[in-house]
Amino acid sequence: MKSTAAYGSWPSPVDAALAAAHDGRPEYLGAVGDELWWTAPRPVEGGRRALVRRRADGTEEGVLPAPWNVRSRVIEYGGRPWAAVARPAGGPLAVFCHFADQRLYAYEPDALPGAEPRPLTPVSAVGGGLRWVDPVIRPDRGEVWCVLEEFTGPAPTDVRRVLVAVPLDGSAAEDRSAVRELSDGRHRFVTGPRLSPDGRRVVWIAWDHPRMPWDGTEVMLAEVAPDGTFHGARTVAGGPSESIPQVDWDGAGRLLLASDRTGWWNLYRAEVDAAGTVGEPVALCPRAEEFGGPLWKIGLNWFTPLDNGLIAVVHGKGTTALGILDPERGALVDAHGPWTEWASTLAAHGTRVVGLAAGPRSAYELVELDTRTGRSRVVGAAHSDAIDPAHYPEPRVRTFTGPGGREIHAQVYPPHHPEFAGPEDELPPYVIWAHGGPTGHAPLVLDLEITYFTSRGIGVAEVNYGGSTGYGREYRERLREQWGVVDVEDCAAVARALAAEGTADPARRAVRGGSAGGWTTAASLVATDVYACGTIIYPILDLRGWATDETHDFESEYLYGLIGPVDQVPARYKERSPIEHVDRVTTPFLLLQGLDDVICPPAQAERFLARTAGRGVPHAYLAFEGEGHGFRRADTMVRALEAELSLYAHVFGVSRTDVPALEYRT
C-alpha cells in the first residue's frame, strides 16, 4: 500500500549530487588494436573529459590523469579530440587535444613510467588561438592529419579552417610554419580527412555561411600525391539544399555517404573510377528513417564499414537502433536489447562493432555486437543502478496535435515513486522541457535529472517540437523562419493537452530549457499564459545582438534560416526577442548562466535582468564562474538543480526543506 502525499512533496533517494555525478555520457569511441578507447565525463573532477581505455582483458583505466582534459573547442562545440594507433612495440601512440590550451599532444601511455604528454602544436595569442579536431594519425608519414581552426583577429568571426598535417616529431610545437596546410581554405567549415584504402584519394565535408550543416554541405574529393599534398579538390556530392553529415570509404574504394536528398538521411554508395570520377550515389537501404543526424560536432559517425563488407548503421525514426546492413542485398538486421538510443559514434574491429547505447532504464554504455552470431553485450562503461530502479520513471512516447493539425512528438514522464502516490483529488504539476539546438532531439533514455523531479511527484514532458531532428527534413524545417513561433506553440500545445486530458494540473505547469531551449522558455513566458513559472538556462534573449557580434562563428548566421536575413526582416528580430517584451513576463522565473559562455553570453542575460528589475515579478539569477555553454562541474549542477526545485516548490505551493530557498528579486 502506497502512502498518500501531495505531489511535489515526496521524499526521494535522488538528490542533486547524485544526479550531477551521473551527468554526461561517454563519447568518441575508437578501436586501438584489441582495445577500446573513449572519452568520459568527470563532473566531480571539475568537469574534465577523461580519456579511458578498455584493455583486451576487460579492465578499464584512465589513459591520462587529472587535470588533462581531452576536449576540443573547434566551432566551440568541439568534436573528435583524439586518435590512437597500436604499435608492434612500445604500446599505443595517442594524439589528443587538451582543453585548457587547445594544443595537440602526443602521448605513449605504455612507454616510460611517468612520461608526460609532449606538445605537437604551438600556442597563438591571436583571438581564440589555434584549435584542432578530428585527428587521423599517419605513422607512415610521421604526421597527424586534422582540422585546424585558426583565429586571425580578435572577433569571433575572424577565423579560418583548413585541413593540415602536424609533424609527430614535435617540430611544430613552437613553430606554426611547420604545420603543413592540405586544403586551400576556400570553405568556412570542414571536417577531418578520410583517406581511401589505397591512399590515393581523400574526402571531407565542407560548407559555408549562411548554411548550417543540416541545411546543405558538399563532399570534397582530392588526389593525394606521393609527397602527401592534396591536388584537384572538387565537389563530388551535396549542395546548398542537400545535407551530407558523414562520408567515408568502403574496403573496395567506393564512397559511402549519408544524405537527406529524399527528405531523410539515408545511406548511399558511389563508385569512383580510376580517373577519380564519382558516379551517381545509389541508395543502399531507402527508408523513411534517419541514417544520419545534425553535425553539431566535427567527426561524428552514424555508420562504419566492416572488414567483411557489411556496414554498421545507426538508424531510426524518433528512437534509434544499431543495425547491420548488407549493401548488396539491402537487408538490415538490428541488434537486440533494451536500448532505444544509439549515439553518433561507432567503432569497428574485425566482425564486431561497438556503439554507445542507452534506454529508459539505463544510461549510455558501450555495447558490442558480434555480426557472426548476432549477439550483443555490454563491454564498457556499464550502467549500474545508483538507486533502486523502482524509482525510475516510466516514460510514455506520445504524439500530440498542434496548430493546423500538425504532429508533435514528445516523451511524457509521469510522477513515479514505489512508495508514494498523490491524493485522488489532486493533479500533479508538470514541467515542459524544451531541448537545445534547436536542431536537436530529446532522446528516450534514463536521465537522473528527470528522475530527480518525477520521484518527488513532479511530472516532466520532453517535447521534440517542430524543428527537431529524427523525423525527416520536412519536420526539421518547420522551424525555418518560425523560431519563437512553432517551438513555443508546440510546447504550449503539449502543456494544454496534458491539462485537458487530466494528466497535469493546469495551474501548475512550468517550462524549462537550456540554450535554444532557454530561448523557447523565455519566448513562452512572453508569448503565452500557459505556465506558472519558467527556468531559463544559458539562453538566447536578444536576436539582434546574437545575429551581430554576440555569439561564435559557427552559429553567427544560424538565424538567417531560423528567423530570416536580419537586413530584410529587422522588425521580426525585434518582435520575436524576449528582451524586447519583458513587460509581458508576469510569472516567476529562474535564470541560470555560465559566465564563460561565448555561445550565449552573460551580457544578454544581464540586459534582460536590467529591464526586468522593478517590475514586481519575482525572479532569481545564478551566475557560475568557470562555466561555459553547458554546465560541467558537479557543484554547479547541484546548485542549479536545487534552485530549479526551489522555484517549483515556491510556485506550486509545495513544502520542501531539502533544498535552499531561492532569494528572489522583484
Side-chain angles (χ1 to χ4, degrees):
M1 176 72 71
K2 290 187 176 183
S3 300
T4 300
Y7 287 109
S9 70
W10 304 343
S12 172
V14 183
D15 61 15
L18 182 67
H22 289 80
D23 190 79
R25 61 178 174 84
E27 287 185 300
Y28 308 117
L29 272 173
V32 184
D34 292 331
E35 299 182 358
L36 292 170
W37 290 31
W38 65 92
T39 66
R42 295 289 185 261
V44 297
E45 296 179 20
R48 79 179 183 103
R49 298 290 302 192
L51 186 58
V52 179
R53 67 194 291 189
R54 177 190 182 273
R55 294 185 180 270
D57 63 5
T59 58
E60 295 179 21
E61 61 188 54
V63 176
L64 293 155
W68 292 103
N69 189 352
V70 184
R71 179 179 158 213
S72 170
R73 283 189 61 184
V74 168
I75 67 168
E76 293 301 341
Y77 293 109
R80 190 172 185 89
W82 71 274
V85 292
R87 299 179 298 179
L93 168 66
V95 171
F96 68 94
C97 179
H98 179 45
F99 181 75
D101 58 15
Q102 286 299 289
R103 300 174 85 179
L104 277 184
Y105 288 80
Y107 185 50
E108 300 170 73
D110 297 344
L112 294 175
E116 287 288 311
R118 52 186 178 85
L120 298 180
T121 58
V123 174
S124 169
V126 178
L130 303 172
R131 303 173 179 180
W132 320 81
V133 75
D134 207 7
V136 178
I137 298 176
R138 296 291 313 278
D140 56 321
R141 299 200 56 83
E143 295 176 328
V144 53
W145 290 3
C146 61
V147 175
L148 163 63
E149 180 178 80
E150 180 173 24
F151 284 80
T152 58
T157 52
D158 293 337
V159 64
R160 62 191 293 266
R161 299 177 185 88
V162 289
L163 300 180
V164 296
V166 176
L168 281 168
D169 63 7
S171 57
E174 305 295 338
D175 182 6
R176 165 65 180 86
S177 66
V179 175
R180 186 166 62 89
E181 297 197 4
L182 300 171
S183 63
D184 56 14
R186 77 177 77 167
H187 293 290
R188 189 73 169 189
F189 303 96
V190 292
T191 64
R194 299 294 181 261
L195 195 65
S196 62
D198 60 10
R200 295 175 51 206
R201 298 188 177 97
V202 65
V203 291
W204 66 94
I205 295 168
W207 70 97
D208 292 286
H209 285 318
R211 297 194 307 272
M212 299 300 286
W214 40 87
D215 296 325
T217 58
E218 301 173 32
V219 173
M220 305 298 296
L221 185 146
E223 312 300 321
V224 181
D227 64 357
T229 56
F230 291 5
H231 297 277
R234 67 267 190 200
T235 298
V236 296
S241 58
E242 180 183 357
S243 170
I244 298 175
Q246 184 187 351
V247 64
D248 211 330
W249 304 87
D250 70 6
R254 296 170 291 196
L255 282 180
L256 297 173
L257 54 95
S259 165
D260 72 348
R261 58 175 54 193
T262 63
W264 296 87
W265 277 305
N266 276 192
L267 187 60
Y268 294 79
R269 185 171 67 188
E271 300 285 343
V272 183
D273 66 18
T277 302
V278 178
E280 182 67 18
V282 176
L284 297 180
C285 185
R287 291 188 180 187
E289 292 183 6
E290 304 284 38
F291 287 71
L295 195 64
W296 278 103
K297 300 179 179 182
I298 305 299
L300 301 180
N301 65 315
W302 293 264
F303 67 82
T304 190
L306 307 180
D307 293 342
N308 56 11
L310 302 177
I311 306 171
V313 295
V314 172
H315 72 102
K317 181 179 179 182
T319 59
T320 54
L322 172 64
I324 301 300
L325 173 66
D326 182 340
E328 307 309 323
R329 299 188 299 116
L332 180 62
V333 179
D334 289 341
H336 294 291
W339 308 288
T340 52
E341 186 72 17
W342 290 77
S344 46
T345 180
L346 295 171
H349 54 120
T351 58
R352 301 171 186 265
V353 60
V354 181
L356 286 171
R361 304 184 75 78
S362 63
Y364 285 92
E365 50 194 355
L366 274 67
V367 179
E368 179 189 76
L369 173 64
D370 187 335
T371 61
R372 296 171 303 177
T373 65
R375 294 179 180 175
S376 54
R377 63 184 182 121
V378 176
V379 295
H383 169 79
S384 60
D385 293 311
I387 59 167
D388 185 342
H391 289 86
Y392 295 158
E394 298 175 358
R396 302 169 185 171
V397 178
R398 300 280 303 274
T399 301
F400 295 89
T401 301
R406 65 176 181 251
E407 290 186 345
I408 306 167
H409 301 288
Q411 284 105 230
V412 177
Y413 297 83
H416 177 77
H417 197 293
E419 299 172 6
F420 284 87
E424 291 186 3
D425 61 349
E426 181 185 349
L427 291 175
Y430 260 81
V431 184
I432 302 297
W433 283 30
H435 64 70
T439 310
H441 186 267
L444 182 64
V445 299
L446 178 65
D447 184 340
L448 287 187
E449 281 199 13
I450 292 177
T451 308
Y452 180 79
F453 293 106
T454 58
S455 61
R456 285 168 168 78
I458 300 173
V460 171
E462 290 187 301
V463 182
N464 281 312
Y465 48 81
S468 301
T469 56
Y471 308 98
R473 184 158 187 148
E474 181 180 353
Y475 193 89
R476 195 166 79 239
E477 294 204 332
R478 286 183 186 176
L479 217 53
R480 183 163 292 276
E481 298 193 4
Q482 295 298 308
W483 196 37
V485 178
V486 167
D487 50 325
V488 170
E489 290 177 344
D490 285 2
C491 287
V494 172
R496 291 190 177 103
L498 292 174
E501 70 188 22
T503 297
D505 184 343
R508 297 191 295 172
R509 294 172 296 185
V511 59
R512 70 96 81 173
S515 188
W519 152 272
T520 299
T521 298
S524 296
L525 297 183
V526 164
T528 77
D529 59 359
V530 171
Y531 307 104
C533 62
T535 301
I536 306 168
I537 309 170
Y538 37 82
I540 299 160
L541 297 167
D542 181 352
L543 291 176
R544 180 172 289 278
W546 209 73
T548 51
D549 60 355
E550 285 191 337
T551 192
H552 60 142
D553 183 61
F554 177 57
E555 293 179 273
S556 61
E557 298 186 26
Y558 196 1
L559 297 185
Y560 278 58
L562 292 173
I563 304 294
V566 65
D567 57 339
Q568 296 179 24
V569 290
R572 190 182 297 167
Y573 277 68
K574 183 174 182 179
E575 177 56 33
R576 300 262 184 93
S577 293
I579 201 169
E580 300 290 345
H581 308 288
V582 293
D583 57 303
R584 300 180 191 173
V585 179
T586 59
T587 58
F589 65 87
L590 169 65
L591 181 52
L592 304 170
Q593 178 69 51
L595 292 177
D596 293 346
D597 194 337
V598 298
I599 296 174
C600 294
Q604 293 218 347
E606 290 159 5
R607 290 201 303 272
F608 185 82
L609 291 167
R611 296 192 186 188
T612 304
R615 295 195 55 257
V617 177
H619 60 278
Y621 177 54
L622 298 180
F624 301 99
E625 293 184 1
E627 290 284 12
H629 196 67
F631 301 151
R632 296 176 180 272
R633 299 171 58 98
D635 55 345
T636 299
M637 291 185 279
V638 168
R639 184 71 185 100
L641 200 55
E642 290 182 341
E644 186 175 354
L645 178 59
S646 181
L647 171 71
Y648 302 149
H650 171 74
V651 174
F652 297 159
V654 177
S655 176
R656 295 213 69 97
T657 60
D658 55 345
V659 293
L662 278 175
E663 295 184 9
Y664 293 97
R665 311 175 184 182
T666 54

